[in-house]
Amino acid sequence: MKSLINLVVAGFALSACNSASIINKHSESSTLEHVNLPSGTLAVVIDGNSPDPDDIGATPVLLALLDKAGAADRLVHISHSCDLDPFRNKARYQIDPENESRRQRVLDSSINRALNVFGPFENVEKLFNCRAEQQAAIEDLTLAINNSTADEPLWIIEAGEPDVIGYALQESEVSKRQYVKVVSHHPANDNSGDYFTWQQILDFGVEEHQIGDQNVGLQTPINAWDWAKDSKDDGISLIYEMLEYAEQDGIVPFQAGKFDSSDAGMIYWWITGANNGGDKHATPEDIKLTLKPNSY
């Protein structure tokens, strides 16, 4: 575990130094027939500081998908550690303060690396740590809500507890809430709020999109990602490193022997059409087709 943590920190320093060259490498997105972007902007709110470490691996995947789909400029907000009170988590397994703090550091490092590798995400002000910068994260998401319109709605990817989303909606302009579309794939997120129930989120007047449990296709044996192992591509290498880190995290037993990018399934649905025929059944092979379209 210590060696993997060192890799994360060292990798971030390397990425920061080489961000200009990496950005140039990924600046031209491939034309992909299965990509059908909806109108609007995108906000991503993840936890990763809850017992399940899946967001550590899934977030680089979803940022890579946005890059390759030519949608990096659509992202206007990204935040992590949205479990605002992780020590009264409602899940079966619990996380202790030391490991929760470690998770925050890993998420800061790995997501910033991914933003550098797969960017530029020119409309993202910064990555917000909701545990350390709760009000700033809420204000940034509120701004994104208030900037939404009928022609440019805001899609919020709910990849963790709903509380930050609830606070942002509560602070937003009432007239703007109708232009917000909240995407979920699992009731474990919807029903895990410490301060907002899922029904309270819906009562703000947002449009709900439930796309079905993405663990079905994206929580897989490790060998489903063999195509990414030992890659010379900086982005693919980062994805494999973070999937591997999450698998070895050790807080929950159900991720052992599995790579889990399930929350990235919501982005795959979005880039392939969203509610206009978006694919709800993504697999690692589908992700490979998007990230490495010339490998078949």
Side-chain angles (χ1 to χ4, degrees):
M1 175 60 70
K2 287 183 179 179
S3 62
L4 274 173
I5 292 173
N6 290 337
L7 268 175
V8 172
V9 175
F12 175 59
L14 178 62
S15 291
C17 292
N18 294 317
S19 61
S21 61
I22 291 170
I23 286 170
N24 289 336
K25 181 176 179 181
H26 291 273
S27 60
E28 295 183 7
S29 298
S30 302
T31 300
L32 300 168
E33 292 182 359
H34 60 286
V35 169
N36 178 26
L37 297 176
S39 61
T41 57
L42 192 70
V44 174
V45 181
I46 74 166
D47 50 12
N49 66 319
S50 293
D52 192 343
D54 59 326
D55 287 308
I56 293 172
T59 307
V61 176
L62 69 85
L63 291 172
L65 290 171
L66 289 176
D67 170 42
K68 290 299 184 181
D73 63 336
R74 302 289 197 91
L75 186 66
V76 296
H77 172 90
I78 183 167
S79 54
H80 71 77
S81 299
C82 71
D83 188 348
L84 301 181
D85 195 347
F87 308 119
R88 63 170 183 173
N89 192 280
K90 299 174 183 178
R92 175 182 177 185
Y93 301 99
Q94 301 299 311
I95 193 168
D96 60 87
E98 181 180 358
N99 279 302
E100 196 267 341
S101 180
R102 169 183 59 83
R103 290 275 194 83
Q104 290 182 49
R105 294 193 302 271
V106 171
L107 290 160
D108 274 334
S109 174
S110 63
I111 299 173
N112 272 313
R113 288 172 65 190
L115 288 167
N116 281 328
V117 170
F118 299 115
F121 292 88
E122 57 193 30
N123 292 316
V124 172
E125 178 185 349
K126 61 171 288 187
L127 169 67
F128 291 92
N129 177 343
C130 298
R131 287 275 284 147
E133 309 166 286
Q134 178 177 325
Q135 189 56 38
I138 291 168
E139 289 174 1
D140 191 68
L141 183 55
T142 302
L143 178 63
I145 294 169
N146 288 341
N147 286 337
S148 64
T149 66
D151 292 332
E152 293 291 329
L154 176 68
W155 300 78
I156 301 179
I157 302 299
E158 186 217 21
E161 286 74 354
D163 294 322
V164 168
I165 298 171
Y167 281 125
L169 286 166
Q170 185 173 266
E171 293 187 9
S172 69
E173 298 174 21
V174 174
S175 63
K176 294 293 187 174
R177 297 170 185 170
Q178 63 185 310
Y179 308 131
V180 174
K181 304 172 187 291
V182 180
V183 183
S184 174
H185 85 99
H186 207 287
N189 287 333
D190 304 341
N191 299 325
S192 62
D194 295 310
Y195 306 102
F196 287 87
T197 67
W198 187 241
Q199 187 58 54
Q200 286 175 310
I201 300 296
L202 300 182
D203 287 345
F204 283 112
V206 303
E207 184 175 294
E208 178 188 28
H209 293 277
Q210 295 283 351
I211 71 168
D213 186 1
Q214 296 300 295
N215 289 284
V216 174
L218 291 173
Q219 187 190 61
T220 65
I222 294 171
N223 62 11
W225 288 84
D226 279 352
W227 57 270
K229 189 176 183 180
D230 301 321
S231 175
K232 303 302 181 185
D233 179 272
D234 294 304
I236 302 298
S237 176
L238 173 61
I239 286 170
Y240 194 91
E241 178 189 340
M242 291 300 101
L243 288 168
E244 184 177 46
Y245 185 100
E247 188 272 329
Q248 297 180 21
D249 179 80
I251 300 300
V252 297
F254 54 81
Q255 295 293 10
K258 299 174 183 176
F259 278 5
D260 188 344
S261 60
S262 53
D263 282 329
M266 290 183 281
I267 293 293
Y268 191 81
W269 170 81
W270 189 80
I271 67 171
T272 56
N275 57 324
N276 184 26
D279 189 342
K280 300 179 180 180
H281 307 287
T283 67
E285 284 296 299
D286 295 318
I287 291 172
K288 178 183 177 182
L289 178 61
T290 305
L291 303 187
K292 300 180 66 176
N294 299 320
S295 63
Y296 286 82

